[in-house]
Amino acid sequence: MSDRVLLKHGAGGRAMRALVEEVFVRDALDGLPAGAVGLAAMDDGAAIPLGDGRWLVVTTDSHVISPIFFPGGDIGRLAISGTVNDLAMMGATKVLALTCAVILEEGFSRAELERVQASIRATCREAAAPIVTGDTKVMGRGEIDGIVLNTTGVAITDRVVRDSGLRPGDRIVVTGTLGDHGLAVLSARHSLGLEGDLRSDVAPIGSLIAHLLARHGDDVTAMKDPTRGGLASALAEMAQKGGVGVVLDQLALPVTDEVRAAAELLGIDPLVVANEGKAVMGVRPEVADAVVAWLREHPLGRSAAIVGTATSERPGSLILDTGFGRRLVSELEGEPLPRIC
Amino acid sequence: MSDRVLLKHGAGGRAMRALVEEVFVRDALDGLPAGAVGLAAMDDGAAIPLGDGRWLVVTTDSHVISPIFFPGGDIGRLAISGTVNDLAMMGATKVLALTCAVILEEGFSRAELERVQASIRATCREAAAPIVTGDTKVMGRGEIDGIVLNTTGVAITDRVVRDSGLRPGDRIVVTGTLGDHGLAVLSARHSLGLEGDLRSDVAPIGSLIAHLLARHGDDVTAMKDPTRGGLASALAEMAQKGGVGVVLDQLALPVTDEVRAAAELLGIDPLVVANEGKAVMGVRPEVADAVVAWLREHPLGRSAAIVGTATSERPGSLILDTGFGRRLVSELEGEPLPRIC
């Protein structure tokens, strides 16, 4: 165990989960009503029963992305989308309130701040999610890199979806293409000249998830958004929590030609980089085709696909079926790219 | 209007309020039910009616204090107390859920992180406030100074207290001594050798406010915690929002000998530096003595005092009665000390 915090501890993989478990979850005050989903669950958010059949869902995220403007989005759109999506992953698609806390570096451009704020406003409207309170801090030059946003979301829902509910036989469905955000940011950060084609998928997908759950609420067994650490980390975590194996069909994974080309050029697997407008879920096998067809009727679900199956073999493992054979996918220690979200 | 963000824009005074109004509040999506206290109110938090007579109260704060350990507290205790206290200032003394998002600098000491976390845990227990979800990010060396915490709090209450309710004739009550936090941090930051006597007052005061409201809930007309910008900024804001003048009796202000000595040495007025375990409120004049006596029965209210009066003269102004005469106190542009909380 390192005596210093390393970049991998913030990268969404095994190292981060270990740090969180060892430092933040250990001995935490519980004090929640029975049945609540609290810190120890390490789900996309918390869910607290209100005693009348409804649940209060809460989630929080800090956003430290660099660069703050990238093809397809910016830190403001990312912050609102990330929080709205974490609520949606818990089944809460109607946002009651968002908070937005801003930390700025002394000397930060007022024009860039206005641009970020305009994007926040536009994304709030798109997601029908009002910011109700905020906080503003300024640190000295060199004490923080530009701007950091924290957003917290609060919602009330009748039904909670967990990330731990996968059962053997469930089909694994993704709502769209993979790797777009991570490769777009990487390309922008290093000026690789791929920006013309590569765009982040960052978007609030609460409306897609509401559309899904309205018809298939009883058919979705588990859900998570494959952000930091990518689809591989999200599915590895879901497999461990659900006590199932997950076999992923590589040929079925929706990846754009642009992402595939950039990934090959850079030697980075689209499976392990962040997405910011996608969900991965388990669905009952007999309705999997219907779920995909239904997702595709929504503009944010056009590229939805069945990409794998949960099994009772090798519980806790993620296995990639390449079409030529199967290999175990180790969960990453961390994502290859820091400050991706 | 500056085209760059300056330190004063995060300091709790007039400059910060202007930035927040011009950038964050302008054109914000409302979308809240009628009667809600939203972003535009710029109160200590938001309050959303749940439709059954109860209110959901939400508040958020980022904590960027330097140094992270100071006499009387640390960034962890500060984060939990700050959020619990903002909820309490809205009348919500029973915390349903806290979120805690941590941003760390690569290389941050694991031992210091454990020490901060132990303090968070202890303060959560003291405040009976559970952390239900969190987030961990790591930025590179030199991209952030050590550690930043964001905490958001959620509570449900039957009664909301605003910061805008002062009426002419109300007496102004503070729950304890002033200036302790700001001067303790200043002393620690600059190694002034005053640390032996000066200690921050940082504490969660939800239990004190619950004690107060249990007996005097109908007698408190307005409430706020005098954090960044100190008592002067909090009262100037309350005077403006309430459309009243406030006359402050300098000789009645509870200030310890240690704070007074340090303030004189440094040429800093205890009225304009942050407190982190205090409240200032308006109370109906006929019960003011009873309110102070009742506050003093609680361990966190031992030094409660009546310190002034709201008047119909000079609405929006804060006037200091020095005992020798009266002078107008201008609201500060910013607090003299950055990164105080």
Side-chain angles (χ1 to χ4, degrees), chain A residues 143-160:
Chain A
E143 293 178 340
I144 191 164
D145 183 20
I147 180 171
V148 167
L149 297 180
N150 176 281
T151 37
T152 299
V154 181
I156 291 177
T157 185
D158 296 330
R159 182 209 310 264
V160 171

Side-chain angles (χ1 to χ4, degrees), chain B residues 4 34 50-51 63 98 100 112 134 140 143 153 194 232 261 270 295 320 337:
Chain B
R4 296 277 164 190
L50 289 175
H63 303 275
L98 296 179
C100 184
E112 290 203 348
E143 293 178 340
L194 305 165
L295 283 168
L320 189 68
L337 200 58

Side-chain angles (χ1 to χ4, degrees), chain B residues 74-86:
Chain B
D74 58 77
I75 191 171
R77 182 168 177 79
L78 183 71
I80 302 305
S81 300
T83 296
V84 165
N85 293 352
D86 278 341

Side-chain angles (χ1 to χ4, degrees), chain B:
Chain B
M1 187 173 80
S2 167
D3 65 347
R4 296 277 164 190
V5 173
L6 306 174
L7 284 173
K8 69 178 180 180
H9 289 118
R14 188 161 46 199
M16 188 181 87
R17 291 233 306 283
L19 179 79
V20 171
E21 281 171 4
E22 291 161 18
V23 179
F24 301 121
V25 174
R26 185 175 59 83
D27 293 337
L29 176 67
D30 187 348
L32 291 178
V37 181
L39 195 60
M42 294 177 67
D43 206 324
D44 299 289
I48 303 165
L50 289 175
D52 56 2
R54 297 183 303 166
W55 299 73
L56 185 78
V57 177
V58 186
T59 186
T60 193
D61 268 305
S62 300
H63 303 275
V64 302
I65 192 165
S66 171
I68 61 170
F69 302 103
F70 50 83
D74 58 77
I75 191 171
R77 182 168 177 79
L78 183 71
I80 302 305
S81 300
T83 296
V84 165
N85 293 352
D86 278 341
L87 291 175
M89 292 308 102
M90 301 295 292
T93 56
K94 185 162 170 16
V95 180
L96 192 59
L98 296 179
T99 69
C100 184
V102 184
I103 308 173
L104 295 161
E105 184 179 13
E106 182 187 10
F108 190 79
S109 151
R110 181 81 179 239
E112 290 203 348
L113 181 61
E114 300 266 7
R115 197 174 146 200
V116 168
Q117 183 58 26
S119 174
I120 287 175
R121 269 197 291 274
T123 314
C124 282
R125 280 175 212 284
E126 189 177 333
I131 294 175
V132 300
T133 190
D135 179 57
T136 308
K137 293 288 188 316
V138 182
M139 295 172 77
R141 280 173 204 271
E143 293 178 340
I144 191 165
D145 183 21
I147 179 170
V148 167
L149 297 180
N150 176 280
T151 37
T152 299
V154 181
I156 291 177
T157 184
D158 296 330
R159 181 208 310 264
V160 171
V161 181
R162 303 287 305 273
D163 64 2
S164 56
L166 281 186
R167 296 171 305 197
D170 285 348
R171 304 306 306 276
I172 307 299
V173 170
V174 294
T175 60
T177 57
L178 300 168
D180 305 77
H181 177 72
L183 284 155
V185 172
L186 183 63
S187 175
R189 193 180 300 170
H190 298 292
S191 306
L192 298 181
L194 305 165
E195 294 89 324
D197 300 317
L198 279 175
R199 291 178 69 78
S200 167
D201 59 346
V202 57
I205 61 168
S207 65
L208 172 67
I209 303 304
H211 167 84
L212 166 72
L213 296 177
R215 179 171 290 191
H216 290 288
D218 293 333
D219 300 325
V220 175
T221 57
M223 189 158 56
K224 201 166 187 67
D225 54 347
T227 56
R228 280 182 290 175
L231 184 69
S233 292
L235 273 176
E237 193 175 335
M238 292 169 83
Q240 287 164 30
K241 289 180 174 175
V244 297
V246 168
V247 179
L248 208 51
D249 177 0
Q250 186 164 33
L251 299 176
L253 295 171
V255 177
T256 67
D257 291 344
E258 292 78 11
V259 165
R260 199 179 301 277
E264 281 175 15
L265 186 69
L266 297 163
I268 288 181
D269 188 341
L271 272 184
V272 302
V273 299
N275 309 279
E276 292 293 349
K278 301 292 156 52
V280 54
M281 66 194 77
V283 299
R284 294 196 299 118
E286 59 274 25
V287 293
D289 288 326
V291 166
V292 167
W294 180 242
L295 283 168
R296 289 182 174 177
E297 288 190 18
H298 190 283
L300 291 165
R302 292 262 180 271
S303 303
I306 299 173
V307 298
T309 307
T311 75
S312 55
E313 292 163 41
R314 305 202 63 152
S317 300
L318 177 62
I319 293 134
L320 189 68
D321 185 335
T322 62
F324 302 101
R326 290 183 171 200
R327 67 174 173 85
L328 191 66
V329 180
S330 327
E331 187 185 6
L332 287 189
E333 270 287 286
E335 187 166 36
L337 200 58
R339 297 187 62 190
I340 195 81
C341 61

